Every structure is written in C-alpha cells, then in structure tokens.
Amino acid sequence: MQLQVLNSPFNQEQAELLNRILPTLTESQKVWLSGFLAAAQFSSVSGPGNVQTAELPSGNTAQAISKDVTILFGSQTGNAQGLAKTAAKKLEENGFQVTIQSMSDFKPNNLKKIHNLLIVTSTHGEGTPPDNALSFHEYLHGKRAPKLDELRFSVLALGDSSYEFFCQTGKDLDTRLGELGGTRLYPRFDCDLDYDEPASEWLSGVLSSLNEAGGGTHVSEEAPSSQIGDAVYSRTNPFKAEVLENINLNGRGSNKETRHLELSLEGSGLTFEPGDSLGIYPENDPALVQLLLDEMNWDPEQIVTVNKKGDVLPLKDALVSHYEITTLTKPLLEKAALLSGSEKLQELVSAGNEDQLKGYLDGRDLLDLLRDFTPWIGSVQEIVSILRKMPSRLYSISSSLTANPDEVHLTIGAVRFNAHGRERKGVCSIQAAERLQPGDTVSIYIQHNDNFKLPNNPETPIIMVGPGTGAAPFRSFMQEREETCAKGKTWMFFGDQHFVTDFLYQTEWQKWLNNGVLTKMDVAFSRDTAEKVYVQHRMIEQSKELFEWLQAGAHLYICGDEKHMAHDVHHTLIKIIEKEGGLSREQAEEYLAEMQQQKRYQRDVY
Amino acid sequence: MVNQILKAPEGPPSDVEGIKERSNYLRGTLKEVMLDRISAGIPEDDNRLMKHHGSYLQDDRDLRNERAKQKLEPAYQFMLRVRLPGGVASPEQWLVMDELADKYGNGTLKLTTRETFQMHGILKWNMKSTIQSIHNALMDTIAACGDVNRNVMCSSNPDQSELHSEVYEWSKKLSNDLLPRTRAYHEIWLDEEKVAGTPEIDEVEPMYGPLYLPRKFKIGIAVPPGNDIDIFSQDLGFIAIVEDNKLVGFNVAIGGGMGMSHGDNATYPQLAKVIGFCKPHQLYEIAEKTITIQRDYGNRSVRKNARFKYTVDRLGLETVKAELEHRLGWKLDEAKPFHFDHNGDRYGWVKGVKGKWHFTLFIEGGRVADFDDYKLKTGLREIAKIHTGDFHLTGNQNVIIANVSTQKKKKINELIEQYGLTDGRHYSALRRSSMACVALPTCGLAMAEAERYLPSLINKIETIVDENGLTDKEITIRMTGCPNGCARHALGEIGFIGKAPGKYNMYLGAAHDGSRLSKMYRENIGEVEILNELRVLLSRYAKEREEGEHFGDFVIRAEIIKATTDGTNFHD
Ligand code: SRM
Ligand SMILES: Cc1cc2nc3c(=O)[nH]c(=O)nc-3n(C[C@H](O)[C@H](O)[C@H](O)COP(=O)(O)OP(=O)(O)OC[C@H]3O[C@@H](n4cnc5c(N)ncnc54)[C@H](O)[C@@H]3O)c2cc1C
Ligand SMILES: Cc1cc2nc3c(=O)[nH]c(=O)nc-3n(C[C@H](O)[C@H](O)[C@H](O)COP(=O)(O)O)c2cc1C
Ligand code: SF4
C-alpha cells in the first residue's frame, strides 16, 4: 500500500521517502525495522539500554549509520570530559548509538569509518591542547591525516576568554576537520568559563540537526543535567564544606605564603581519589567591592538581575559572590565600550589595536576599567550584566580519603602582586589566606581527574615531580600508598625558594622516607645558592637512575606551575631519555609520547 | 703506664664513650650527613662528634612549636666556636669573623666567657665554607668543644702588656700542643686527602687515646692582681708569679668547675686548689700529665660526674698531686704568695708600655651586633679597618682594642665617639660587672632566659642602686639559663640560675676576686621577688657596709648568707 500524508502521520517528504524504500524491503528487513522502531521508541523514554541498536550489523542502511555518533573529548581538568558524558547520555536517550572516548584512546585511523563526530575539547597552556588531545591534534595536522568527505562533525570548545588564545584547540580542530573535507552538522560553540548554558544550547542544536539528517526519534525536552558521578552535590550544585584547619606552611621570613586547608566532607556523600581536584567557588574581597561601589557611588542595596533565569541579588552581594571583578577579557571590554562614553575605550577595542588591548588587560581589574574610561552611560544593571560569572578555582587535592575519611586537604599558594600601582590579591587564594577561619564554610565540588591517577598495580614504581604547591597531589599519593601498604618504589622531586622556610610538608616527607613509603627524595631550593637550582637540575644529576626507573615501568607525574616548570621538566625528560637511552631526539620524544599514550606520563599543571 | 693503686669508677661506659669509640677518631659519618639535603640537622651521634670540631647542632627554640605546627622540622642551625688561645685576634681576623657572621651566621658575634668568638645560626650547607674561611684567616675551631682540652684562657689585663704578651705566648703554646692529632677535622672540613692505612692507636692520639677524655677539660692562666679569667673555675689553672716585673713561673691550681644539675647534690661548683709552683718551661709537661690522670681516672660511666673536679675530690687532692709528681718524675715547688683583687675588667683607655694604648670596651652579654640605636658591630668593624694593634677578647665577654699607637689613638677615639661606644647607658658600674650566658633561643639546655633578659633586669636594679647611692659600686652580677654555669654564676656576688621561664634561683656571697663560691639565697623566684630582695639587701649594704667592703663579703658578715668554704658544702 502507498502511504499518504492523509493516511499517515508523515509529511510529504517523509511519505515519499518511505514509499520509495518500503517496497524494496525483504521480509526480514521489515521485521527488523519494526523491532528497531519499537526499541527506539522504548529507549527514548527509558534512557540508555537500546539493546537492538547496539546489535546493529555494521555498515548497514543509511538511517543505521546516521544513528552512529562518536564523541571525542580532550580534557585536562575534566570539564570537557564531563560535558562529553552529558552529551553521550542525552544522545542515547534520543536513540543514537554513542561511542565516547578520550582522544588519546581513539585510534585516529578509524576516523575514516566515522560518519558523525562530536568533539568536546578544552585548551591549555598558551593555547595548546590538553595532554590527552595532543596526539590526536598532531595527527590531524600531520601528513597522515585522511580525507574525510564522509564526515559530519561539530565542535564544542571550552576555554577562558582571559587567555590570549581563546578556545584555540577547539578552533584548530574545527578548521582542520573542515579542511579535510568534513561538513559541519552544527557550528562550533566557544564557551567561556561559565560554559553550562552555551554547552546545553550547543547540544540541543547538534541533536536537532542529527535528527533532521538522521531521522532519530523525537528530541526529549528536559535540559541535560551536567551532574555526573553518584553525589547529589556537583559543580552546578556545590557543597558547603566547613573549614577544619587553615595553617600557613611557610616558616617566618619566607617570601611565600602557602595555606594548608582542611575541609570537612561530612554529610556530602562526596568521594574522590588521589589525583582528583577540588573546585572552590570563592568570594571577592569585600574591601575591593567597597572600592567599586564608592568609585561609581552605586547603591549597595540596589537589586540587580544576575542571570538569564532572572535571579536577583542586592548589588553588593552580587559583586561579592556572583560576578568576576578581578579579571578583564577582550569580550568584556568590547561590551563595555558600548556602555562608556570614553573615546579612549572605543579606540582601544577597535581593530588594529589588539596589542594595546592585550597590554591593557594584563594585571588590571574592573576597578581600573571603571576608573580609566569614564563617563559611563550604561546603567548599573547593564554594566554588571557584561561581567563573567565568578569562575570556580581548582585545587589538587593533597589528602587521601582512605587516610583522612570525610576530609579533604588543599595546598593553596597565596597570589599577591603589585600591578599598575595597586596591590592585587588572588580571589580564592587570598580568601583562604586572609579570611577563611576554622568554622567558616566554602562552596566546593569534586573534579574527578582520570588523567592523574596512581597506577592500578601497587607494585609499579612512581616518580613524582612537584615543586611548590605541585607537591599537593603527591602528599595524597603518599598517604594512599601508606594506607594501602603499596609495595611499589616511590621517588619525589620537590623544590621551592628556601630550604628553611619553604620545604612544604617537610616533616611528613621525612617520616615517609624513614618508614619506606617514600624510597627516594631530591630537593632543589633555588634561592639558597648563588646559582639557581631547580627540580630539573636534580633530575639531570640523577639521569641514569631516573631512566632505569622509567625502563622498569615507572609512572612519571608532574604537578605544578605550567608556564615554566612543566615545560622545563618535560624537555629535561627528553634530554635524559635521549642521553641514557642512546636515542635520537625524535626517538626520545616518541618514547615520552608513548608513555603518555600508556598513561605512564601524567601531568596536573596550571 | 697506668698506676694500679688508683681506679676509675666502676660502671658501664656512658653512651658518648661508645660514640667516640666507634667514631674512628672523631670522623663518624659526618662527611656524609653534612651532604644530606632533606634535613638541616644531623643525627645525635654525629652531633656528639661535631662538638670536637668546635660546633653544635642547635635549633631556634623560639620557633620550635610554631614550626612543628607548620609541618616544618625545627629551625636547625649550627653554632660554631673558634679556637682563639688567650683571646687574641688580629684586626684582619676580626674583619673575617665580622663578615662571616653576616654572610653565614645570624648577623651577630658572641664574645664568650672563654675569650673567643661564637657564631650562631649557620646552616648545614654553609658550615664547610665558614670553617674554610676561618681556616684561611689562620684560625680554627678544633677542640673548641668536646671531651678534650678547650680554649686556653689568659688574663688580658692591659696594665701589664709586656707580661701579657709573654703569658699569651704560653697559653697559645699550650693550646696548640694539647690539640687532638686526628686528621678528621682536615678531612671533613678542609678536603684533606685521607692517608691510607690505619696507624697504631697511640700514634694517632698519643696523649688522648681513642676515647679522648671523659669530659671537657679547661685550662687558664691568670696574671694577678687581675682574676678576669676566674682561675679557680678552671680544671687546671696557672697563676703567673711575677718578681720585680719578671715572670718567674706559675702556681698550679687543679680541680675547678662551675657546672651542676638542679636537685643533684652529687654535682656542685668547685674551686681549683693550689698545689705548688712550676717554671714556665714546665707548663706543658704539667698540663699533659694532669690531662692523662683525668683520662685514666675520670668517670666515663656517669657524665654528670666526669669532670676533673670530681676526680680530684674523689681521689683526694694530695693523692692526685702525688700521682702527678709520679708521672712527672719530679716534685712541684712550694706555691708562691699571690693576690687577686677583682675578677672583672677595667674599662676605658689605659697606657701600656712602649707608648701603646689599650681601650677596654664593655660588650653587654658579649653580643656584638648592630642595634637600632647602637651600631656596635659596625663601629668595631670600622675600628678594625684602621687598627694596627690587636683585639683581646676578655673572660668577661668584653673586648680590648689593644696595642694602639699614639697616632692611631686619636682616629680610633673618634670612631668610639662616633658610634657612641662610650655611651653611658652601657657603663653603670653594676652593668659593666655583669655577665650572662647565651641561653635562649639557641642553647638547647636553657631553662630560662639569660643574655636576652639580664639587661632589662639590670635597668630595674639600677634604679635601686641609684636610690642607694651605689651607682659607682662594682658588684659582679651573673646570670645563666641553667645550672651549667657558663657565665660562672657561682662566682658572681649576685648570681642567678635559670629554673624555668621567668624563674631563677638567686645566689649570694661569692668573693669579688673570684676566690669564694656563692650559696643559694632564694629558690625559684621571679622578677618581682628578685627586685624586692635586692631592694632590702642593697639598702642595707649602702648603710651598713664597712670601708671598701665588697657586697659579696658584706652579705656574709651581715649573716645574710653562710659562706661556702668548699664546693662540697655549696648545697648546705
Ligand atoms: C658560649 C658560652 C657561654 C657564653 O655566653 O659565653 C657557653 C655556651 C654553652 N655551653 Fe658552656 N659556655 C661557655 C662557657 C662555659 C663555662 C665558663 C668557663 O669555662 O669559664 C662553664 C663553667 C665552667 C665549667 O666548665 O665548669 C661552662 C659550662 C658548661 C657546661 C657544664 C659542664 C660541666 O661539666 O659541669 C655545659 C653542659 C655540658 O658540657 O654538658 C656547657 C654547655 C654549653 C653549650 C654548648 C650548650 C650545650 O652543651 O648544648 C652552650 C652553647 C650555647 C649557645 O647557644 O651558644 N657549658 N661553659 C661559653 C663559651 C666558652 C668558650 O668559648 O669555650
Ligand atoms: C587542575 C588545577 C589544579 C590546581 N591546583 C592548585 C593547587 O594545588 N594549589 C594552588 O595553589 N593552585 C592550584 N591551581 C591554581 C588555582 O586554581 C588558582 O588559579 C590559583 O589559586 C589562583 O587563584 P586566585 O583566585 O587566588 O587568583 P585569581 O584571582 O584567579 O588571580 C590569578 C591571576 O592573577 C594574575 N596574576 C597572578 N600573578 C600575577 C603577576 N605577578 N602579575 C600580573 N598578573 C598576575 C594571573 O592572570 C592569574 O591567573 C590549580 C589549577 C588547576 C587548573
Ligand atoms: C594552565 C591552564 C591554561 C589554560 N590556557 C588556556 C588557553 O590558552 N586558552 C583558553 O581558551 N583557555 C585556557 N584555559 C582554560 C581552560 O580551557 C578551561 O578552564 C576549561 O574549562 C578546562 O576544561 P577541561 O577541564 O576539560 O580541561 C587554561 C586553563 C588552565 C588551567
Ligand atoms: S649556662 Fe646553661 S643555658 Fe647558659 S649557655 Fe650554658 S648551658 Fe646554655
């Protein structure tokens, strides 16, 4: 029989398509199709578990292929990974068969076989890919990259607009996939630190275009929740943790201040593993907020709307707890230009002045902006509306849950610097250093990090490179290995400015050395000697033994400063492998890349 | 060969004896542990050996608890004591110490009660460079601490400068000849190559032997009438005998010492006793034989009773004298008459012989530092830069700018004025007769403050002194942070021994010339009681004292306190 628009729920186009296909179907295909539709129907209500689709004979009919979606994520600190999982869940709910993988686990030569590809990636370093996206990024940009005319893709890029190369990795991949012949099934979204809204917007967009093209079943309405993991508390629903202990780890006379913070997780149901991070939603310095209010003589009590949902807050509270007021970004200034009568500002944001703009952003904050570019014609509401939502700060967890049940410890370096004639204070670290008292609470969430984990095998030796606050996760590693009586050898490299004042957790390392939990420790204090020594110098001194450890299968971890330390250590490692392994530079780099592939070389850098 | 009649006390050797025995002549594992980067400290055993190299591992006790909270080890640092026989340093040497203090130390120098420099606050990694710099300045730190003969003191009385130089030469010779012979020091600190093969025991340390002495051993030479080195507090003292301005020889005194322990009456301060007279050239022989007696019969089981004074009291003065003469193979002459009249210093300018001048400068607590309103360290540095004579560190923690030529005198005097080194504040008679040991924060044994506290206490006592018109009366006042007596408290007319933070035992009745020990007057009292007691005592002294009577003698005549006639009745 012929289907018609009248005698069926289909529109003209659908009816014609069906009429063309149905007559050609064999009996078995008809049976299969009915079952398939039923199952798809079923799965769209009851979420994942679309059994039949999973049994799809590969390389099957157009619809079947179009329902195959691969999601690849590149993620350093877990945000992109979280969103990728959310997307997978949502797509499965909508009857798609989803393969989700970290880019580093994905075999690039399978790329040709893929028809629907979603990319979720962040950017790190100075616009470089997160570690687990490195190889994929390199492959795509290399000669071996295949033609991808069959490919339909879309990219969700995570970033931070205060960085010069905003969402660079996302942009790279997006452009490159295009060059290789792929077609965008939905345009790329670049998300700033408050990425939840744009991310779900992108996801719905992707879904509908997949459906249009691939005829998936109806799009479920409920917005995706970015809650992953078992805890009810999450990044979008932070837990108020009580401060148990807050001490300065630096001795008198130090140039540094490093806070050791102990928080209670009691009643939160939150759990974590060594290597995970903790997110804190900090509050701005009330003194700075007061300066802003005075500067603009704004009424602290004036009610302002703080988000699309229409939540409202008194201006003062909004500035203290909701908005970011200490970092300026290019987009922010562009928006601000529309609210200011200042020529200078128009000038600054106009094309051709990127360098001046970049220069201006560095080390300046909202107060500078408001002072420098009067008169302001925009209303209070208009002005605050262009501010970014206060981003959370991540901290490598420095305790083990096994060793300290219901507690989480952090190691926070106070950020203070003078810029443009004013003392500047890091929002979160200085809240910890100057305001947080035992008994106070802070909004926190756990940021799981699969890319920084102890080896599954407790016998496996580990080498830890963690100068300064980079020592944090390794304290957690040591506590865990002590609790679980792991037998594997351990080697810690630590460094800071001065031995006497800056040897973070000194007595604990000494204890672990004595009881054997820590096999070996090397320290470098840069300002105790005429010529500066850093961890990488100690590694060179030990290069022979260090390479032996690597050969014996040791995992190597780096944590701490991204800009200088992580790079220097990385290149030192290549040198060492080159020298001790008698390899060429390329081979040495290969060796390290291979280690990265096997997750034997992991970094937690910032 | 060892005389069989006499015996050393029975009992298992103390822990330190074992450490010395295993140390292979004071080497231990010092070389290695000094290289370890994980701790600024060293293990206890090596620290015991470290002392023999003139240094101690300490920590800043002010920071102990705070740092423990911060998960930091104690603020470990090394104290370094220079071997400076007779306390004589050249301007060049002064400048080196001055610079080292800033470069590696805590920015100060401590002039000790045994006439030498101490540095505090040296980090482990800087020890070698520090010792090498000291070595390059022709000084060392060998045997400045430890169970060996210590810095040999010598009167620095500038009135008899020609005698001083002669006596000084003897003290230097003694100090050098009595040094340990092991090369450990040179290997560990001066990178001297270790000579292969192990020489015979008696080749390495002919006098000391592999275990060295049971305890520290101290020698001093006094030139009457000045007893600035407290000759009777020495294990072995030589009293210069001068006949018509010529040094004819020395009276020999043995068995002195100040240390004791709270609540242990088997420990007590004791005065050395004169046993005879010897010629200058016999000094070394006497010292060597006396030391071997202590080596053979000293108590190696209980360190608290290991000092020579206890050996002498146990064996009996006459027996020890006989044993000494037996070992010497000749007899000592009759002791000659002598007279001391003070154990303090005489301040300001005095003219010596050959047109040379000497300026004695009071250094409160022996601490050479730059204070906000008193740039003492800088002032002395400037003086050292132009000085052509030498510096004499005194047994009262002071310094003499010695052998100043008449033409230099003017310039040096200008500097003295410029830096206010004659500033009256530092010169009340009571204050300039005061001594305080280091105590907190560096001394590991301190029970209470001393150096950091005495000055403020004296401020308050001064008002009492003034009220009673005693401003110019010299009364020796000494404070130590514990009963070890590093500032020779038991020989101060007013003495304080730390008991607990802010609490002291108060002692009275010592002789002004250092010839009689004090006795405890009040136990465990704080500042208020101290001042109340002194208010009463000093006003009585002001009213009732006889012509020229010293405070120490007065309190005995007035039956305020019983005289201590011998260390053995110090506690009665
Ligand atoms: C620096 C000095 C005090 C000062 O303010 O000048 C000093 C400082 C210390 N003395 Fe002393 N003694 C100092 C002169 C004395 C004197 C006075 C003297 O020798 O004329 C005595 C009393 C005489 C005597 O030896 O009986 C003295 C009796 C002690 C004792 C008790 C010894 C005993 O057998 O009773 C100890 C504790 C010990 O040796 O176990 C001691 C131990 C110490 C130590 C090393 C503490 C320790 O053993 O850990 C002190 C180091 C503190 C620091 O931070 O510097 N010190 N010590 C003096 C250095 C002299 C030198 O240059 O060699
Ligand atoms: C995965 C991860 C783990 C982390 N783990 C830790 C940890 O264990 N311990 C830790 O202390 N930190 C850690 N961080 C860093 C931490 O998240 C915060 O970035 C840091 O504490 C600063 O936050 P803040 O709010 O105090 O400073 P902010 O208010 O965010 O200000 C910091 C910003 O100030 C600017 N700035 C800083 N110094 C200067 C200067 N001299 N001149 C000009 N501008 C300057 C820079 O733009 C910098 O980004 C981690 C970060 C990540 C991503
Ligand atoms: C050390 C570091 C460097 C970063 N560099 C950039 C950058 O160059 N450009 C950018 O857009 N974002 C940058 N970011 C911001 C991250 O991309 C952003 O935090 C993202 O949400 C992280 O996602 P992830 O957890 O999946 O890695 C950087 C973040 C960190 C911690
Ligand atoms: S007397 Fe006691 S407190 Fe004072 S320095 Fe000597 S040992 Fe230390």
Side-chain angles (χ1 to χ4, degrees), chain B residues 470-487:
Chain B
L470 297 170
T471 314
D472 299 327
K473 201 83 194 114
E474 273 175 344
I475 303 171
T476 52
I477 175 169
R478 298 173 172 187
M479 175 178 279
T480 63
C482 86
N484 285 326
C486 297

Tab-separated table of all heavy atoms in Angstrom, chain B residues 470-487:
chain	number	residue	atom	x	y	z
B	470	LEU	N	74.680	53.720	95.155
B	470	LEU	CA	75.700	52.691	94.877
B	470	LEU	C	76.076	52.663	93.400
B	470	LEU	O	76.687	51.701	92.920
B	470	LEU	CB	75.168	51.321	95.301
B	470	LEU	CG	74.860	51.140	96.794
B	470	LEU	CD1	74.116	49.838	97.035
B	470	LEU	CD2	76.145	51.179	97.605
B	471	THR	N	75.697	53.760	92.699
B	471	THR	CA	75.859	53.771	91.241
B	471	THR	C	77.267	53.399	90.797
B	471	THR	O	77.445	52.725	89.774
B	471	THR	CB	75.510	55.170	90.695
B	471	THR	OG1	74.287	55.587	91.310
B	471	THR	CG2	75.362	55.139	89.189
B	472	ASP	N	78.263	53.816	91.532
B	472	ASP	CA	79.639	53.554	91.091
B	472	ASP	C	80.251	52.344	91.774
B	472	ASP	O	81.442	52.066	91.635
B	472	ASP	CB	80.506	54.786	91.353
B	472	ASP	CG	79.977	55.991	90.584
B	472	ASP	OD1	79.439	55.767	89.476
B	472	ASP	OD2	80.037	57.112	91.116
B	473	LYS	N	79.442	51.618	92.527
B	473	LYS	CA	79.958	50.453	93.249
B	473	LYS	C	79.939	49.247	92.316
B	473	LYS	O	78.905	48.877	91.748
B	473	LYS	CB	79.063	50.171	94.470
B	473	LYS	CG	79.772	49.359	95.529
B	473	LYS	CD	80.635	50.239	96.443
B	473	LYS	CE	81.571	49.363	97.244
B	473	LYS	NZ	82.997	49.584	96.900
B	474	GLU	N	81.077	48.597	92.171
B	474	GLU	CA	81.123	47.429	91.305
B	474	GLU	C	80.689	46.181	92.059
B	474	GLU	O	81.315	45.774	93.031
B	474	GLU	CB	82.528	47.260	90.724
B	474	GLU	CG	82.670	48.076	89.455
B	474	GLU	CD	84.060	48.072	88.882
B	474	GLU	OE1	84.995	47.688	89.602
B	474	GLU	OE2	84.196	48.464	87.723
B	475	ILE	N	79.596	45.639	91.631
B	475	ILE	CA	79.083	44.391	92.198
B	475	ILE	C	78.916	43.429	91.027
B	475	ILE	O	78.188	43.723	90.080
B	475	ILE	CB	77.722	44.618	92.888
B	475	ILE	CG1	77.839	45.700	93.966
B	475	ILE	CG2	77.183	43.322	93.456
B	475	ILE	CD1	76.508	46.131	94.551
B	476	THR	N	79.630	42.314	91.087
B	476	THR	CA	79.514	41.389	89.959
B	476	THR	C	78.158	40.696	90.002
B	476	THR	O	77.738	40.158	91.030
B	476	THR	CB	80.633	40.322	89.985
B	476	THR	OG1	80.644	39.711	91.279
B	476	THR	CG2	81.981	40.960	89.739
B	477	ILE	N	77.467	40.738	88.878
B	477	ILE	CA	76.150	40.120	88.784
B	477	ILE	C	76.138	39.231	87.544
B	477	ILE	O	76.507	39.663	86.462
B	477	ILE	CB	75.038	41.196	88.728
B	477	ILE	CG1	73.670	40.550	88.505
B	477	ILE	CG2	75.325	42.252	87.653
B	477	ILE	CD1	72.519	41.524	88.699
B	478	ARG	N	75.798	37.976	87.733
B	478	ARG	CA	75.896	36.999	86.640
B	478	ARG	C	74.643	36.141	86.561
B	478	ARG	O	74.102	35.727	87.583
B	478	ARG	CB	77.128	36.119	86.843
B	478	ARG	CG	78.415	36.925	86.810
B	478	ARG	CD	79.610	36.105	87.166
B	478	ARG	NE	80.842	36.849	86.950
B	478	ARG	CZ	82.055	36.309	87.064
B	478	ARG	NH1	82.173	35.020	87.382
B	478	ARG	NH2	83.124	37.034	86.866
B	479	MET	N	74.224	35.876	85.343
B	479	MET	CA	73.013	35.085	85.147
B	479	MET	C	73.255	33.993	84.123
B	479	MET	O	73.862	34.235	83.081
B	479	MET	CB	71.865	35.988	84.674
B	479	MET	CG	70.595	35.247	84.316
B	479	MET	SD	69.260	36.352	83.834
B	479	MET	CE	68.668	36.851	85.435
B	480	THR	N	72.812	32.795	84.437
B	480	THR	CA	72.858	31.704	83.466
B	480	THR	C	71.477	31.071	83.341
B	480	THR	O	70.708	31.058	84.294
B	480	THR	CB	73.865	30.609	83.880
B	480	THR	OG1	73.425	30.040	85.115
B	480	THR	CG2	75.249	31.182	84.039
B	481	GLY	N	71.212	30.533	82.171
B	481	GLY	CA	69.884	29.978	81.903
B	481	GLY	C	69.679	28.594	82.472
B	481	GLY	O	68.583	28.035	82.405
B	482	CYS	N	70.749	28.012	83.008
B	482	CYS	CA	70.648	26.686	83.619
B	482	CYS	C	71.849	26.494	84.533
B	482	CYS	O	72.758	27.308	84.529
B	482	CYS	CB	70.584	25.601	82.544
B	482	CYS	SG	72.194	25.057	81.977
B	483	PRO	N	71.888	25.432	85.318
B	483	PRO	CA	72.949	25.294	86.338
B	483	PRO	C	74.329	24.976	85.771
B	483	PRO	O	75.272	24.813	86.547
B	483	PRO	CB	72.457	24.139	87.224
B	483	PRO	CG	71.142	23.741	86.724
B	483	PRO	CD	70.923	24.327	85.400
B	484	ASN	N	74.472	24.894	84.455
B	484	ASN	CA	75.787	24.571	83.909
B	484	ASN	C	76.804	25.671	84.168
B	484	ASN	O	78.003	25.428	84.180
B	484	ASN	CB	75.690	24.289	82.417
B	484	ASN	CG	75.075	22.927	82.172
B	484	ASN	OD1	75.289	22.004	82.945
B	484	ASN	ND2	74.281	22.828	81.138
B	485	GLY	N	76.312	26.860	84.353
B	485	GLY	CA	77.189	27.928	84.819
B	485	GLY	C	78.135	28.493	83.794
B	485	GLY	O	79.275	28.849	84.113
B	486	CYS	N	77.686	28.625	82.569
B	486	CYS	CA	78.563	29.122	81.506
B	486	CYS	C	79.020	30.550	81.746
B	486	CYS	O	80.036	30.975	81.219
B	486	CYS	CB	77.863	29.016	80.169
B	486	CYS	SG	77.513	27.306	79.743
B	487	ALA	N	78.270	31.305	82.521
B	487	ALA	CA	78.705	32.664	82.864
B	487	ALA	C	79.268	32.681	84.291
B	487	ALA	O	79.308	33.725	84.945
B	487	ALA	CB	77.560	33.655	82.723
